[in-house]
């Protein structure tokens, strides 16, 4: 076995991940831990300042309810999420986040985030729930608060350590193992409670950008399904694993469209089909009652555009120039004011990209796009797993203690595994929490986990013989490389190992062709899913044969392994749910209609970590009384 040092870290609370939910958990948990003399340790695979989905920054905070100013209520937010997720949401969790999220946003402002204000000093809204920000340093600001909180409580932040597996003591999570992506160090974290906040997953499906553009995707490539893998491997019940997210974004550089649709009130059209939201409006009747709610669910908006592209009416375009001209038109009688407004709108259009997707600005520049003069192409991306955004996949967690929810078995946000909590993209069926809601959920879980430690937290019992086995398994790819790489003239062709890139292509090919990726027009069926699962068995056999040349490739190997679990949970859930509920995200071609009578329910799944057997379950939908 590779001769790596074993580093043992003892802590009370272990937070896995360093993104928005983990930073929220750290900030809150450290506050309570300090009072109780407990230690909080946060572990991130990257550098906290720029890790996770908000690494590049964002141009809007997507969840702000505005309760204090009477703008909306938490109940309004439940109605919004219920509609957008076609009736499938954990209303207890959505409510809990909605009632706490505003205070999180106020903290962001206090920590230095610039939120746009109008002349009356009110927040500038992009849409009903969204606030405009100067957000290029959004993550840095939120990370700084987490760092300060942990430092003040005497805790520890460990960066560039990739968490792989949970450590278990029966049905209790007692820590995690991982490895340094820089040094020859294998880490063993022993903890009384663990929070999984390692984001969602990208590159499970083949991306549109292949070849020279490979790696480019809407969802940042850093998150590989670690939260899902960790909770699945711990034996936790999972939910909504079929609910992937496919955003429609500016084509090829995946630039955001929110500001265009919401702030600039732009239209999207297909080249020869016109405004598909108007032309195809009647189609929405087929998806009643959700097809008729406002705003129209994101998947249905996608679907109407997809109907045009399927019929060869594309490309799809965002009518940027029309939108800018419409706004500036109110100044048409004053040439000086008109010119000034046009300049302002033009710079806002570019800043929107520069705040969060710089590559889109570069692509616009490279393609001579002037948004005030010419429309710009948009397209549906490949599928992603991001339960905090408009997808819903994640672990099935316990609801808030004070609500009459039936989904309650202990501490808020604890999974069905004792001592293991899940947040952000890691916790399921509570979509539309975005950056601010993920942070708020992290705070809720951080407090709850400390409460669990105070009331139930026994010293973790870790079987070090088991740890040695895990170390051998996790470092095996380095051994395979060392032993066999000199056997062939081309190191990429070898009968004893395959490289992580080669493995990734195989996984993506299976998902793309059988589970409804881009190539199959997001369509799948029972037979396709079953064939996909057959191929997945063979792929999993080869997973143990991945080789790694260095630390970086070792990380790639384990990212791939984690993606495979996310992929399998996804196919199994699509197969189990015998209907099409989210056209525009995926289409079960053999069950093309929504079937509320039989399938207005959650689809949950659970893998037995000992046997690898999966159990599929239906769970009833509970709606918040009076909402
Ligand atoms: C392209 C894009 C645009 C978005 N736009 C907006 C927007 O405009 N407004 C808004 O409010 N929200 C937006 N969101 C949503 C927001 O970014 C997410 O809701 C939020 O980041 C989720 O928080 P999280 O903690 O679950 O994951 P993340 O913030 O992604 O954090 C995941 C963390 O886990 C770490 N990690 C991953 N794997 C491991 C591992 N194996 N070991 C250790 N650490 C690991 C990562 O390094 C990272 O620190 C956007 C998301 C995307 C992808």
């Amino acid at each position: 076995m590779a001769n790596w040092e074993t580093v043992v870290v003892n802590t009370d609370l272990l937070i896995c991940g360093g993104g928005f939910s983990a930073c929220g958990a750290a900030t809150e948990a450290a506050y309570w831990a300090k009072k109780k003399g407990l230690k909080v340790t946060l572990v991130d695979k990257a550098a906290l300042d720029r890790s996770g989905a908000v690494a590049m920054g964002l141009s809007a905070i997507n969840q702000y309810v505005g309760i204090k100013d009477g703008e909306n209520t938490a109940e309004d937010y439940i109605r919004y999420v219920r509609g957008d997720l076609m009736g499938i949401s954990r209303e207890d969790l959505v409510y809990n986040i909605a009632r706490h999220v505003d205070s999180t946003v106020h903290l962001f402002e206090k920590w230095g985030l610039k939120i746009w204000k109008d002349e009356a000093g009110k927040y500038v809204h992009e849409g009903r729930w969204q606030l405009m920000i100067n957000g290029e340093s959004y993550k840095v600001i939120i990370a700084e608060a987490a760092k300060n909180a942990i430092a003040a409580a005497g805790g520890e932040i460990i960066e560039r350590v990739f968490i792989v597996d949970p450590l278990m003591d029966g049905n209790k999570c007692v820590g995690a193992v991982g490895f340094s992506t820089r040094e020859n160090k294998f880490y063993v974290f022993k903890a009384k409670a663990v929070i999984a906040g390692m984001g969602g997953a990208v590159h499970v499906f083949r991306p549109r950008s292949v070849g020279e553009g490979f790696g480019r995707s809407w969802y940042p490539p850093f998150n590989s399904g670690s939260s899902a893998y960790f909770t699945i491997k711990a034996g936790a019940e999972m939910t909504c694993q079929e609910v992937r997210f496919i955003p429609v974004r500016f084509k090829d550089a995946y630039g955001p469209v929110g500001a265009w649709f919401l702030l600039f009130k732009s239209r999207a059209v297909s080249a020869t089909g016109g405004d598909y939201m108007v032309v195809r409006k009647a189609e929405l009747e087929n998806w009643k009652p959700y097809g008729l709610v406002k705003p129209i669910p994101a998947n249905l908006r996608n679907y109407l555009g997809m109907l045009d592209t399927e019929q060869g009416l594309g490309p799809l375009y965002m009518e940027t120039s029309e939108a800018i001209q419409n706004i500036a038109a109110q100044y048409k009688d004053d040439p000086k004011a008109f010119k000034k407004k046009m300049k302002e709108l033009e710079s806002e259009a570019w800043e929107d990209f520069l705040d969060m997707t710089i590559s889109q600005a570069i692509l616009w520049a490279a393609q001579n796009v002037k948004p005030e003069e010419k429309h710009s192409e948009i397209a549906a991306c490949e599928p992603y797993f991001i339960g905090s955004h408009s997808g819903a996949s994640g672990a099935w967690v316990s609801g808030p203690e004070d609500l009459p929810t039936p989904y309650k078995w202990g501490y808020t946000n604890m999974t069905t595994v004792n001592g293991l909590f899940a947040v952000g993209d890691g916790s399921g069926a509570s979509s539309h929490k975005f950056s601010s809601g993920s942070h708020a959920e992290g705070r809720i879980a951080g407090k709850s986990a400390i409460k669990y430690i105070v009331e139930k937290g026994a010293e973790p019992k870790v079987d070090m013989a088991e740890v040695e086995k895990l170390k051998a398994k996790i470092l095996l790819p380095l051994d395979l490389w060392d032993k066999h790489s000199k056997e062939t003239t081309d190191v990429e062709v070898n009968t004893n190992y395959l490289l992580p890139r080669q493995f990734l292509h195989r996984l993506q090919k299976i998902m793309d062709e059988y589970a409804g990726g881009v190539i199959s027009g997001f369509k799948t069926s029972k037979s396709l899913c079953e064939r996909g699962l057959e191929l997945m068995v063979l792929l999993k056999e080869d997973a143990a044969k991945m080789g790694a040349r260095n630390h970086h490739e070792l990380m790639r190997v384990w990212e791939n392994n984690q993606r495979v679990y996310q992929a399998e949970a996804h196919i199994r859930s699509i197969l189990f749910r015998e209907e099409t509920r989210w056209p525009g995200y995926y289409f079960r071609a053999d069950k093309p209609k929504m079937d509320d009578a039989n399938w207005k329910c959650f689809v949950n799944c659970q893998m037995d970590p000992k046997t690898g057997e999966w159990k599929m379950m239906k769970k009833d939908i509970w709606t918040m009384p009076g909402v």
Side-chain angles (χ1 to χ4, degrees):
M1 180 174 49
N3 184 21
W4 282 27
E5 180 192 348
T6 298
V7 181
V8 178
V9 178
N10 293 301
T11 188
D12 292 300
L13 175 62
L14 174 68
I15 301 173
C16 300
F20 259 64
S21 59
C23 284
T27 310
E28 186 79 23
Y31 174 84
W32 298 104
K34 192 175 171 196
K35 288 184 188 292
K36 302 284 177 192
L38 299 171
K39 180 180 172 190
V40 177
T41 303
L42 180 147
V43 184
D44 193 344
K45 78 188 264 195
L48 203 68
D49 277 348
R50 289 278 177 195
S51 64
V54 190
M56 267 199 281
L58 294 179
S59 54
I61 289 174
N62 278 359
Q63 188 186 8
Y64 181 73
V65 181
I67 294 173
K68 129 174 118 58
D69 292 331
E71 289 168 352
N72 297 291
T73 62
E75 287 79 0
D76 291 331
Y77 208 76
I78 290 183
R79 286 184 205 101
Y80 162 54
V81 179
R82 183 192 291 159
D84 203 74
L85 265 290
M86 310 288 283
I88 311 295
S89 68
R90 276 279 303 270
E91 301 193 356
D92 56 337
L93 300 178
V94 172
Y95 181 81
N96 203 24
I97 296 167
R99 66 178 165 174
H100 287 110
V101 71
D102 290 1
S103 70
T104 283
V105 172
H106 300 149
L107 280 175
F108 290 173
E109 196 173 21
K110 191 173 134 201
W111 295 335
L113 181 70
K114 173 94 170 67
I115 305 179
W116 292 15
K117 298 251 177 72
D118 63 17
E119 280 123 25
K122 295 214 159 235
Y123 292 144
V124 173
H125 277 260
E126 184 186 55
R128 180 172 178 187
W129 311 106
Q130 299 83 358
L131 303 181
M132 294 302 292
I133 56 172
N134 282 33
E136 63 286 339
S137 298
Y138 192 11
K139 181 66 207 298
V140 183
I141 293 167
I142 271 58
E144 185 183 45
K147 283 183 192 172
N148 289 344
I150 288 197
E156 198 176 354
I157 293 178
I158 302 175
E159 296 179 325
R160 303 203 186 278
V161 167
F162 186 89
I163 296 285
V164 184
D165 279 298
L167 287 174
M168 301 299 295
D169 173 15
N171 185 39
K172 188 166 151 196
C173 186
V174 289
V177 291
F179 59 88
S180 166
T181 59
R182 291 287 192 275
E183 302 166 295
N184 294 353
K185 287 184 179 169
F186 180 78
Y187 278 85
V188 182
F189 299 98
K190 298 182 182 178
K192 293 177 185 160
V194 178
I195 297 180
M198 293 171 280
V202 62
H203 289 321
V204 174
F205 281 82
R206 180 157 45 201
R208 280 185 185 274
S209 301
V210 290
E212 63 165 16
F214 186 74
R216 194 67 216 123
S217 53
W218 171 79
Y219 193 69
F222 328 121
N223 293 340
S224 57
S226 302
S227 302
Y229 173 90
F230 195 89
T231 44
I232 291 170
K233 285 295 288 276
E237 194 171 324
M238 307 294 288
T239 191
C240 294
Q241 291 298 308
E242 71 280 32
V243 194
R244 54 169 77 175
F245 177 43
I246 297 180
V248 166
R249 293 294 182 265
F250 284 98
K251 190 164 178 295
D252 294 333
Y254 303 85
V257 296
W260 286 100
F261 279 132
L262 299 171
L263 194 69
F264 296 132
K265 311 279 181 243
S266 177
R267 291 186 316 138
V269 301
S270 64
T272 49
D275 184 339
Y276 52 81
M277 294 307 299
V278 176
V279 178
R280 295 194 179 271
K281 195 166 172 222
E283 174 65 26
L284 296 173
E285 290 282 330
N286 295 328
W287 306 95
K288 280 193 301 206
Y290 315 109
L292 304 183
V293 301
K294 289 277 177 291
I296 298 162
N299 65 293
L300 291 178
R301 281 180 271 141
N302 286 2
Y303 183 53
L304 299 195
M306 284 174 188
L307 290 173
D308 270 15
T309 46
E310 268 171 24
Q311 288 187 1
L313 304 176
L316 304 182
Y317 287 107
M318 181 73 81
E319 294 294 346
T320 55
S321 51
E322 177 190 83
I324 288 183
Q325 297 292 341
N326 284 347
I327 299 174
Q330 50 187 303
Y331 301 90
K332 66 179 183 323
D333 298 330
D334 179 348
K336 214 168 141 205
F338 181 82
K339 204 170 157 206
K340 187 166 167 249
K341 190 68 190 169
M342 283 296 286
K343 261 279 123 329
E344 189 185 307
L345 290 167
E346 188 199 332
S347 83
E348 274 175 13
W350 286 92
E351 187 186 330
D352 186 41
F353 293 159
L354 293 170
D355 268 356
M356 62 184 286
T357 315
I358 297 155
S359 42
Q360 185 69 55
I362 295 169
L363 189 70
W364 264 10
Q367 295 184 342
N368 301 325
V369 174
K370 292 186 178 166
E372 68 282 16
E373 287 177 11
K374 190 176 156 192
H375 60 195
S376 199
E377 217 182 322
I378 53 172
C381 307
E382 54 278 348
Y384 310 108
F385 298 91
I386 175 163
S388 68
H389 204 288
S390 311
S393 54
W396 183 246
V397 299
S398 190
E401 289 170 36
D402 63 322
L403 293 186
T405 161
Y407 322 114
K408 208 163 42 174
W409 52 88
Y411 295 81
T412 311
N413 272 82
M414 192 169 85
T415 66
T416 54
V417 170
N418 288 330
L420 176 58
F421 296 74
V423 288
D425 296 327
S427 87
S430 49
S431 317
H432 292 283
K433 44 198 170 191
F434 303 103
S435 61
S436 44
S438 295
H439 194 278
E441 191 186 31
R443 289 175 60 205
I444 293 164
K447 186 174 176 186
S448 174
I450 294 292
K451 185 165 184 260
Y452 169 86
I453 294 171
V454 170
E455 292 173 1
K456 297 243 171 90
E459 278 308 314
K461 271 195 258 151
V462 174
D463 178 352
M464 286 310 279
E466 204 49 45
V467 167
E468 272 310 302
K469 279 194 215 150
L470 284 170
K471 183 176 178 184
K473 179 189 86 169
I474 290 169
L475 300 185
L476 179 68
L478 296 168
D479 300 340
L480 285 175
W481 170 263
D482 272 354
K483 196 160 163 211
H484 298 293
S485 61
K486 296 198 177 58
E487 288 169 3
T488 54
T489 47
D490 182 346
V491 291
E492 300 211 344
V493 183
N494 197 301
T495 49
N496 289 298
Y497 63 76
L498 74 167
L499 291 170
R501 175 68 74 97
Q502 295 164 332
F503 183 92
L504 183 64
H505 286 317
R506 259 177 74 189
L507 167 67
Q508 292 183 343
K509 184 168 161 59
I510 294 172
M511 295 307 287
D512 201 23
E513 294 178 355
Y514 298 94
V518 170
I519 204 167
S520 41
F522 310 114
K523 291 189 185 68
T524 182
S525 67
K526 179 173 187 281
S527 310
L528 282 163
C529 285
E530 284 171 347
R531 178 68 186 136
L533 285 174
E534 282 172 14
L535 293 170
M536 199 64 89
V537 173
L538 303 176
L539 181 78
K540 277 160 73 181
E541 277 175 18
D542 285 348
K545 297 188 187 123
M546 272 187 277
R549 293 173 243 226
N550 48 42
H551 293 84
H552 190 71
E553 271 194 355
L554 187 63
M555 181 177 74
R556 291 282 181 250
V557 166
W558 285 102
E559 287 178 344
N560 282 345
N561 277 311
Q562 298 186 331
R563 289 187 176 103
V564 168
Y565 281 75
Q566 176 63 84
E568 186 166 354
H570 186 53
I571 301 185
R572 287 184 185 281
S573 300
I574 289 185
L575 182 60
F576 187 71
R577 182 182 278 284
E578 296 185 332
E579 63 161 355
T580 295
R581 181 164 290 263
W582 297 275
Y585 290 169
Y586 76 87
F587 205 87
R588 265 284 300 255
D590 53 339
K591 300 276 177 194
K593 295 214 165 110
M594 188 168 70
D595 175 3
D596 252 359
N598 293 302
W599 290 102
K600 192 176 174 199
C601 62
F602 297 105
V603 164
N604 284 12
C605 63
Q606 191 170 23
M607 193 197 78
D608 181 335
K610 290 209 173 68
T611 61
E613 296 281 314
W614 289 81
K615 191 167 83 182
M616 304 302 302
M617 295 158 265
K618 281 184 174 185
K619 287 277 155 97
D620 289 341
I621 303 276
W622 173 81
T623 47
M624 187 87 166
V627 181

